Amino acid sequence: MPPTPIDKVVTSGSFRLDGGEWDVDNNVWIVGDERTAIVIDAAHDHEEIARSLGDRELMAIVCTHAHNDHINAAAALADLSDAPVPILLHPDDAELWGMVYPDREPDAPLLDGERLQAGGVELEVLHTPGHAPGAVCLYAPELGVLFSGDTLFQGGPGATGRSFSDFPTIISSIRDRLLTLPADTVVHTGHGDSTTIGAELPHLQEWIDRGH
């Protein structure tokens, strides 16, 4: 296995919901070894993600949630491979998925407690609704890493001001599922810089008080 089993690709595009559109940079995470890998959140540019994969076999595309900016390169990336590449999504985000792919279903559900294998890395699926109904985080305990999608960022929870989101729900998800992880767990986010559980834990009450 290479020195790090995690690669990061930043892609740029637009986030669209509720009639609005915003320019965004997304973190795409590639997890695995020198032979096989999974992609977490195939955003915007399937060709750039494929270049970063190189010769590795893509085993699956895992979606932390189904906002368009996290899935809009998933189908094209999956279709580049000669062998079928499953796209995995929590069933509660089916409606959001259908806004982007009305004629294509995800290939398999992501379920809370499920464990995925990426090379030599095991990822546990944590259902963390709030930013979206089917939002999940992926926890790799052996690496001490959490892939948080848009549930937890450096400085607070993901946005909950638009359709399909709920602030009390995301607070419950963060408090009960994420802030209970070891303090030195590195949090790799869907946008922006990484953080740690320990850095964010002291600020929970501040987020609750400010309401976002």
Side-chain angles (χ1 to χ4, degrees):
M1 185 176 290
T4 174
I6 301 169
D7 294 315
K8 175 183 176 182
V9 183
V10 179
T11 60
S12 300
S14 297
F15 167 53
R16 301 182 183 92
L17 190 65
D18 296 338
E21 182 171 337
W22 300 265
D23 293 334
V24 288
D25 295 330
N26 283 63
N27 297 332
V28 181
W29 300 97
I30 302 173
V31 185
D33 59 22
E34 71 274 11
R35 296 180 302 277
T36 62
I38 67 168
V39 165
I40 300 172
D41 288 344
H44 307 305
D45 189 340
H46 69 283
E47 293 179 344
E48 178 63 25
I49 300 167
R51 282 192 291 270
S52 297
L53 275 165
D55 295 332
R56 289 175 285 185
E57 181 182 0
L58 179 59
M59 305 303 293
I61 298 168
V62 181
C63 309
T64 62
H65 62 294
H67 284 155
N68 77 288
D69 59 315
H70 288 254
I71 64 171
N72 56 9
L77 181 64
D79 291 345
L80 283 179
S81 177
D82 293 333
V85 175
I87 300 171
L88 312 181
L89 177 73
H90 193 282
D92 288 355
D93 263 15
E95 189 170 353
L96 283 166
W97 172 273
M99 295 178 183
V100 180
Y101 296 111
D103 301 317
R104 180 171 182 158
E105 298 289 332
D107 297 292
L110 279 176
L111 301 176
D112 186 62
E114 181 180 356
R115 285 173 166 80
L116 308 174
Q117 293 291 332
V121 178
E122 184 176 83
L123 297 168
E124 181 183 356
V125 178
L126 306 177
H127 183 210
T128 52
H131 181 69
V136 304
C137 297
L138 302 162
Y139 178 44
E142 292 183 4
L143 299 179
V145 167
L146 177 79
F147 298 94
S148 66
D150 285 5
T151 295
L152 179 64
F153 291 105
Q154 183 182 77
T160 54
R162 303 186 182 98
S163 297
F164 304 96
S165 65
D166 182 73
F167 181 71
T169 301
I170 201 171
I171 287 294
S172 295
S173 293
I174 292 170
R175 181 186 60 227
D176 300 339
R177 304 304 305 276
L178 304 187
L179 297 184
T180 56
L181 298 174
D184 59 355
T185 302
V186 176
V187 180
H188 289 322
T189 60
H191 309 270
D193 296 332
S194 298
T195 183
T196 65
I197 293 295
E200 303 307 322
L201 177 61
H203 303 290
L204 176 63
Q205 190 59 49
E206 297 171 27
W207 307 336
I208 295 171
D209 291 344
R210 78 188 187 196
H212 62 87

